[in-house]
Amino acid sequence: MSSELAIRVANLSKCYQIYDKPRDRLMQMLMRGHKQYFREFWAVRDVSFEIKKGETVGIVGRNGSGKSTLLQMICGTLNQTSGSIETQGRIAALLELGSGFNPEFTGRENVYLNAAVLGLDRHEVDECFSEIVKFSEIGDFIDQPTKTYSSGMLVRLAFSVQAMIEPDILIVDEALAVGDEKFQRKCFSRLEELKNRGTSILFVSHSETQIIELCDHALLIDHGELIMNASPLQIVRSYQRLIYAPEAEQAALLEKYKRNDPLYDSAPSSPTSPTDSFQEASKETAVLNHYDPNLTPETTTIYPEQGARIKRIAIHDCNGDAVNILEPMKKYRIVSEGDFSEDLERLFFGIHIRSISGAVISGQRHPEDGKYIDRSQAGKRFRVEFSFNMNLLPGTYFVGGGVWSENSASCAHRILDAIMFRVQSSGPQNAFGYCNLTASPAVLSIEE
């Protein structure tokens, strides 16, 4: 394996034997393979990829798609049926809540046990023990049996052991979702620090923002197969489109992903395509210098219509004119219009604003969280206006929206990157990031 690689997986597969009745397992042993009493279930099938040293790679997929099985084989806690795995360096893994901990041992004893499994001697653990305890925020509970720990305490201690020893490869399987917001931020800060030091990170998460912001590239896995290996944004978009598609269309969509077809066409395929129809409906007449007709996204992704259709999304200023060149600190409205083709119950509408990288910066829902519109009737039209203050810093942003029904597993309709807008500069900036939250200029005082 090349010295530049941390992990190489080639044609990796894992097959389980499923027995319908306990006696079938005994019969299989007695027949010595002359007759098969089990069904084969391929949790992972023919997966191949490479991860370079210092890369952070996300794995995305539905529950039961084989993500955890894949990680367990890479860690060596599960043997593969076929294929090969090559790794370079020390591997630390946080696979599931409390994995590797003996519930009868104290936190202190489990720290030394886990570190020993990772190849550290007692002297090395002694040197970093206080740092592990401090990071985990366990306090005096470090000398209590871990069976008395809450789920949050378990994951804090487990992550602290794995991350504070500075592994060459760190594998995290959704475990950080258990911790509170403060600890999650500290964990992701530590991940960024490890990445800067050259640690390769393999990261499973259902959070699209975490995948987009943390990962260099990502993998989409479904039914044990590697469907796509692409940029984080493309993987997240493909995954979202898959889970929101009607079940009858999902197989065809997976085949399209395997052929490496583009998620969207940057050039029009036909005058009547859904994307073209939507873009045509969203075109506006130029309003002075505040509308640029060429400011049209090439990444518009339209989900299947399942009871509703969004025909137009636009930004209006206080005069009701459509704009896409926005001024800082002014008030605007994002308007979403469409109609219903089916009777739907318990509805809500939403819009979001994304950065160029695809990270969600802000969004709104109507009605508010926990409330719904009781029902809608086929043939009715809708118009939703979301008001917001333009506190974003100068730059280019993208708007999408959707209609959801709580009683449906899929959205009634959704469009990503429906329109784009630009916030123009108003002069020198003293803020950075995405949002300007400055209330008044900074005040400096220097005392002798």
Side-chain angles (χ1 to χ4, degrees), residues 275-340:
T275 301
D276 294 341
S277 299
F278 174 79
Q279 296 289 9
E280 188 66 31
S282 294
K283 286 182 179 179
E284 305 287 348
T285 303
V287 180
L288 300 178
N289 295 321
H290 296 291
Y291 190 89
D292 181 356
N294 297 316
L295 202 59
T296 304
E298 295 183 349
T299 52
T300 301
T301 305
I302 301 179
Y303 286 27
E305 299 171 19
Q306 301 183 79
R309 180 186 182 189
I310 299 173
K311 293 184 174 181
R312 174 180 175 269
I313 293 179
I315 302 175
H316 289 182
D317 62 14
C318 59
N319 296 319
D321 295 322
V323 294
N324 59 11
I325 306 296
L326 279 54
E327 298 181 44
M329 313 309 290
K330 286 197 172 183
K331 189 174 182 178
Y332 296 91
R333 289 174 293 127
I334 296 179
V335 179
S336 177
E337 297 178 330
D339 54 36
F340 297 105

Side-chain angles (χ1 to χ4, degrees), residues 143-257:
D143 290 311
Q144 297 297 319
T146 54
K147 66 182 180 181
T148 66
Y149 286 15
S150 67
S151 59
M153 293 168 66
L154 274 175
V155 77
R156 290 204 303 270
L157 185 59
F159 181 86
S160 301
V161 175
Q162 306 295 338
M164 300 310 288
I165 62 171
E166 298 188 10
D168 299 298
I169 300 170
L170 177 63
I171 297 175
V172 183
D173 185 6
E174 198 65 44
L176 299 185
V178 179
D180 58 35
E181 291 86 351
K182 180 181 176 182
F183 186 75
Q184 285 184 31
R185 179 65 197 111
K186 189 161 70 168
C187 289
F188 289 118
S189 177
R190 179 60 179 167
L191 291 179
E192 292 167 2
E193 184 180 340
L194 289 172
K195 180 179 178 179
N196 292 334
R197 293 183 181 181
T199 297
S200 302
I201 301 173
L202 196 52
F203 184 69
V204 170
S205 176
H206 285 98
S207 169
E208 60 181 72
T209 302
Q210 292 174 4
I211 294 293
I212 290 171
E213 293 186 343
L214 291 176
C215 300
D216 299 304
H217 64 93
L219 313 175
L220 174 59
I221 293 180
D222 195 81
H223 290 88
E225 295 184 79
L226 178 58
I227 305 300
M228 294 179 68
N229 184 344
S231 69
L233 181 57
Q234 185 175 355
I235 291 296
V236 166
R237 289 285 175 83
S238 301
Y239 174 64
Q240 288 181 334
R241 191 176 183 186
L242 175 65
I243 63 175
Y244 284 117
E247 188 172 351
E249 298 179 16
Q250 291 180 1
L253 198 55
L254 287 171
E255 287 302 318
K256 182 178 181 180
Y257 291 164

